[in-house]
Amino acid sequence: MNRDGMVVRVRDRKEPWDIVVIGGGATGAGVAVDAATRGYDVLLLEREDFGKGTSSRATKLVHGGVRYLEQGNLSLVMEALKERGILLRNAPHIVRNLRFIVPNYSWWEAPFYGIGMKVYDLLAGKYSFGSSKTLSLAETLELLPTIRQDGLRGGVMYHDGQFDDTRLLIHLMMTAAEHGATLLNYAGVVELTKDEDGFVRGVIAVDGESGERYTIAARAVVNATGIFTDETRRLAEPDAEAMMVPSQGIHLVFERSFLAGDTALLVPHTDDGRVLFAVPWHNRTLVGTTDTPIRSIAYEPLPFEEEIDFVLETAGRYLSRKPTRDDILSVFVGIRPLAKAVGSGEGRTSAISRDYTIHIDHAGLVTIAGGKWTTYRHMAEDCVEHAITLGGLDERPCVTATTHVHGFDEHPEELGSLSVYGSDAAAILAVAKERPELGRQLHPDLPYIGAEVVWGARHEMARTVDDSLSRRTRALLLNARAAVAIAPAVASLLAKELGKDRAWEEAQVAAFGEMAAQYIPQGKTYPAVPSE
């Protein structure tokens, strides 16, 4: 993908696009892939970077949802388990099978959770990742050697999926591009255009880099803007009633030693009604999450003090080494785009369904909201079917259930630290051979090499230090202090690739440092949860 080339396509286009997608997160990418693989002319516009919002801040799990099973939402669980299996088949370089253990400290937990996980296995059917099993105390300690042993009786093991969210997102964008889609980051939609009958027939977008305005015609327009869904809907209908109920969740990242081994921990019940995961991810331990209703939304939301305390305290009940604030390498926050039916009450956010909603307003704007990463493909298929009808497009079948995601590689374990790039790993190593210094680690506490930064700029539309360190690599999430330390080197590499000057480099380093500071909790006081 090359941004300059994408800009030319948008500027030169005379005919209406079949489908214009607003939003470059998981849902927007899924819609672009679905529509492009059907052969439609697709344009996706994102006002920031791809995945800047919620889609880069997941718990890194591709799962059916054990909590949804307990709630009795079997249809959502079955759909997610099927999509989990499809994702593993289509993107084995990014998605992997991961063992989870529910620890048992009371006599009733083994039969209770054992039966529940057998139901989970049954619902997965042919898409199963492996059978669940009740473990003895010795077996539990072998797989989770750092779990708190006081009172431990054993555990229940089951299987689910893990992934790197923005690596999948970028590869979905590249998949869409390979099938003819045009994708443009840093191009925000500021207006929806309508025909004489008042139906949406296009958008006006502004290039965030050049300031150029594009008037873009479309047969159908899809709103896939996640937490900004209502803001986009009001471009079509200024008085549109809100359908989003935002809630935020935080994740804390620690050294790998807190969760030795290759097995994840699931705490099935926490004080806020959610589950808590401790997961091995990129040689770190990731722990989360919370469910805190919020009043306002932002691209860089702050954690609340109570959330950090809650995760530390809950994790400390189950890990032999209790994590402290000083142990946190990074804290990151995501806002869930929870969707309610228009006209319904808000209710408790932890009780709102994680299923998705497709809403078509009076002006013909197609809005898809809610859902979760695991089900992005099915959501996109449903959304494109609606867009086909509204846009009067020729019917064409969905093929994404069997479409390999860009980078497809069945043996990623052979690629080492570049495994998530799949088939692109060889090309990245070739970049490293151009200049030996590009093959060296950027920081001893991070796995990334300079060639990855260059690759991201050349082929993945990375435009800023934030793009490179937050979403093309995951440096900011893995170790925020280390990410800040390598920002000047990354800015220098990007400047060479993008033709920027020294002043640009300095501005980038300053902006990234200011933003990254909120990911470092030591010596900082975050806001308290606002009172009702």
Side-chain angles (χ1 to χ4, degrees):
M1 298 189 298
N2 177 275
R3 191 178 189 279
D4 292 340
M6 298 292 186
V7 167
V8 171
R9 287 194 207 174
V10 175
R11 185 185 294 138
D12 293 349
R13 178 85 180 191
K14 305 302 180 187
E15 295 297 314
W17 299 85
D18 291 332
I19 299 175
V20 168
V21 183
I22 310 172
T27 306
V31 172
V33 169
D34 186 291
T37 53
R38 297 192 200 210
Y40 297 118
D41 291 327
V42 182
L43 170 64
L44 180 147
L45 299 166
E46 163 58 50
R47 70 179 173 187
E48 294 289 332
D49 184 35
F50 304 129
K52 172 68 174 175
T54 305
S55 295
S56 62
R57 301 157 191 267
T59 311
K60 322 308 179 192
L61 300 180
V62 179
H63 63 130
V66 173
R67 186 164 62 91
Y68 315 136
L69 177 66
E70 188 176 356
Q71 292 173 348
N73 194 343
L74 299 189
S75 61
L76 177 59
V77 173
M78 289 184 71
E79 176 192 313
L81 288 171
K82 176 182 177 180
E83 292 300 319
R84 181 192 69 174
I86 291 173
L87 249 178
L88 177 63
R89 184 177 65 200
N90 289 338
H93 59 300
I94 299 174
V95 180
R96 73 182 186 101
N97 190 333
L98 181 65
R99 288 186 305 244
F100 288 76
I101 290 180
V102 181
N104 301 155
Y105 290 93
S106 299
W107 66 266
W108 57 267
E109 290 179 310
F112 181 80
Y113 293 117
I115 292 171
M117 294 312 173
K118 289 300 179 186
V119 174
Y120 200 61
D121 295 344
L122 179 65
L123 294 177
K126 68 178 182 179
Y127 297 100
S128 173
F129 275 32
S131 298
S132 60
K133 178 184 177 183
T134 299
L135 303 177
S136 67
L137 174 60
E139 289 172 321
T140 301
L141 291 174
E142 181 180 358
L143 293 174
L144 284 178
T146 56
I147 194 171
R148 178 175 65 83
Q149 298 184 31
D150 182 29
L152 184 67
R153 293 169 174 259
V156 175
M157 181 186 73
Y158 73 101
H159 294 258
D160 243 324
Q162 184 181 47
F163 77 138
D164 185 307
D165 45 16
T166 55
R167 182 44 45 191
L168 177 58
L169 177 67
I170 296 302
H171 279 193
L172 286 173
M173 295 296 183
M174 297 174 85
T175 305
E178 288 164 357
H179 286 86
T182 300
L183 315 153
L184 201 57
N185 54 358
Y186 297 103
V189 171
V190 296
E191 187 177 336
L192 299 178
T193 58
K194 300 178 180 179
D195 62 17
E196 60 275 10
D197 296 318
F199 287 96
V200 173
R201 286 293 180 258
V203 305
I204 295 176
V206 176
D207 189 322
E209 294 191 355
S210 69
E212 186 174 357
R213 290 173 68 90
Y214 309 116
T215 300
I216 298 163
R219 294 182 172 86
V221 177
V222 171
N223 170 18
T225 53
I227 59 176
F228 299 102
T229 289
D230 289 328
E231 176 186 325
T232 305
R233 288 175 59 227
R234 286 168 184 148
L235 294 177
E237 294 187 349
D239 298 326
E241 183 181 344
M243 63 186 292
M244 303 309 298
V245 183
S247 165
Q248 78 174 33
I250 76 162
H251 298 83
L252 305 182
V253 179
F254 303 98
E255 292 287 355
R256 187 73 178 85
S257 58
F258 280 90
L259 193 70
D262 296 317
T263 302
L265 168 69
L266 166 65
V267 177
H269 285 287
T270 65
D271 295 341
D272 75 341
R274 290 187 59 81
V275 300
L276 189 86
F277 292 100
V279 181
W281 186 67
H282 288 321
N283 203 34
R284 299 289 192 276
T285 298
L286 185 152
V287 183
T289 182
T290 54
D291 196 335
T292 308
I294 56 175
R295 297 174 181 173
S296 59
I297 55 178
Y299 280 109
E300 292 293 343
L302 288 170
F304 296 116
E305 283 290 332
E306 293 93 330
E307 291 181 300
I308 293 177
D309 291 342
F310 168 79
V311 174
L312 287 173
E313 195 275 332
T314 305
R317 296 180 196 172
Y318 293 89
L319 298 175
S320 58
R321 178 183 165 199
K322 293 186 177 183
T324 69
R325 198 179 184 106
D326 289 340
D327 295 314
I328 300 172
L329 298 175
S330 184
V331 51
F332 65 95
V333 187
I335 299 177
R336 300 178 188 88
L338 303 179
K340 66 182 179 69
V342 172
S344 68
E346 294 188 3
R348 187 180 173 196
T349 56
S350 62
I352 296 175
S353 173
R354 267 48 175 177
D355 209 345
Y356 68 94
T357 296
I358 294 179
H359 175 78
I360 301 171
D361 63 26
H362 299 300
L365 176 67
V366 183
T367 292
I368 179 165
K372 57 182 191 169
W373 245 119
T374 306
T375 56
Y376 87 92
R377 190 207 64 83
H378 177 70
M379 293 166 58
E381 179 181 355
D382 195 0
C383 181
V384 171
E385 293 291 341
H386 283 76
I388 289 170
T389 300
L390 279 173
L393 303 173
D394 294 336
E395 296 279 352
R396 298 171 188 171
C398 174
V399 298
T400 54
T402 56
T403 299
H404 288 170
V405 173
H406 175 91
F408 178 90
D409 190 307
E410 293 185 283
H411 301 287
E413 66 279 357
E414 300 173 1
L415 304 174
S417 65
L418 298 178
S419 62
V420 291
Y421 290 95
S423 60
D424 283 344
I428 294 170
L429 291 174
V431 171
K433 288 182 180 179
E434 295 176 9
R435 294 171 14 220
E437 68 272 17
L438 295 180
R440 292 195 288 267
Q441 278 181 258
L442 292 165
H443 192 283
D445 292 334
L446 292 168
Y448 306 112
I449 60 176
E452 294 176 74
V453 175
V454 172
W455 175 264
R458 291 180 184 176
H459 303 287
E460 298 178 348
M461 294 172 66
R463 311 297 291 181
T464 70
V465 170
D466 180 29
D467 297 350
S468 294
L469 294 180
S470 300
R471 290 171 294 280
R472 303 309 183 277
T473 71
R474 312 317 306 275
L476 179 62
L477 274 59
L478 297 182
N479 189 322
R481 290 185 186 277
V484 171
I486 63 174
V490 170
S492 178
L493 290 172
L494 287 175
K496 290 183 177 69
E497 293 298 319
L498 302 177
K500 303 296 185 178
D501 60 16
R502 180 64 181 170
W504 180 89
E505 288 185 46
E506 293 173 353
Q508 281 288 304
V509 171
F512 181 77
E514 181 178 354
M515 183 272 293
Q518 73 182 56
Y519 289 69
I520 305 170
Q522 290 81 9
K524 187 180 281 80
T525 300
Y526 293 104
V529 174
S531 58
E532 294 296 331

